[in-house]
């Protein structure tokens, strides 16, 4: 099972930044599970993600495609979104892009500061 470890950041003494894994997010039996010692914040994030999953049937993932000529010059750049369902191999990427600026206790989750772990 592939888990996403959410890394939170808070400011410590003398402007030092403290990083800590504050939650695990993974898919189990087609449902998103958020585990954290910050139960209230984890429940809030889980409800939000499950609501997105229920309303749309999946989560959106942004993709892009480029066309270049023989010399390498860009002719066309197209961005589009794809709906990813929980059984899709790229669902963890869609899940990662759906999480943004969540508060977990004293820690703040920023997009892009995640760790993927296979367990």
């Amino acid at each position: 099972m592939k888990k996403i470890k959410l890394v939170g950041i808070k400011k410590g003494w003398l402007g030092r930044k403290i990083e800590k894994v504050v939650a695990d997010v993974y898919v189990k039996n087609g449902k998103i599970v958020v585990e954290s010692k910050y139960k209230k914040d984890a429940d809030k994030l889980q409800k939000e993600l499950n609501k997105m999953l229920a309303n749309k049937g999946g989560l959106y993932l942004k993709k892009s495609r480029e066309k270049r000529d023989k010399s390498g010059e860009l002719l066309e750049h197209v961005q589009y979104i794809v709906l990813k369902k929980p059984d899709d191999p790229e669902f963890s990427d869609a899940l990662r892009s759906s999480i943004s600026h969540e508060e977990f206790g004293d820690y703040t989750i920023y997009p892009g500061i995640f760790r993927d772990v296979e367990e």
Side-chain angles (χ1 to χ4, degrees):
M1 171 181 347
K2 193 171 193 178
K3 287 189 176 183
I4 298 172
K5 303 273 188 183
L6 301 182
V7 179
I9 297 176
K10 77 175 183 178
K11 290 189 178 178
W13 288 74
L14 304 171
R16 188 180 65 153
K17 290 184 181 179
I18 301 169
E19 291 186 10
K20 177 181 177 183
V21 175
V22 293
D24 292 337
V25 182
Y26 58 94
V27 177
K28 184 176 184 179
N29 299 329
K31 297 197 181 241
I32 299 171
V33 178
V34 180
E35 292 180 347
S36 176
K37 74 175 192 176
Y38 303 103
K39 190 70 175 154
K40 180 180 160 189
D41 299 322
D43 289 343
K44 179 184 167 195
L45 177 60
Q46 184 165 355
K47 284 180 186 177
E48 184 179 311
L49 291 171
N50 284 334
K51 184 178 177 183
M52 282 192 272
L53 189 63
N55 288 345
K56 303 170 192 167
L59 298 177
Y60 290 119
L61 178 63
K62 290 181 184 178
K63 291 195 160 210
S64 63
R65 180 179 62 231
E66 293 182 347
K67 275 189 177 178
R68 296 187 178 269
D69 63 5
K70 291 180 181 179
S71 66
E73 190 145 341
L74 183 64
L75 298 174
E76 180 182 36
H77 181 78
V78 179
Q79 289 186 331
Y80 57 98
I81 57 173
V82 180
L83 186 68
K84 297 293 179 181
K85 298 193 181 265
D87 58 347
D88 194 314
E90 291 183 320
F91 184 76
S92 62
D93 296 330
L95 183 59
R96 199 177 306 108
S97 68
S98 298
I99 300 171
S100 63
H101 276 82
E102 294 290 332
E103 297 292 326
F104 276 83
D106 297 336
Y107 295 86
T108 303
I109 306 297
Y110 293 100
I113 309 178
F114 304 124
R115 295 185 185 133
D116 291 339
V117 176
E118 191 70 38
E119 290 185 4

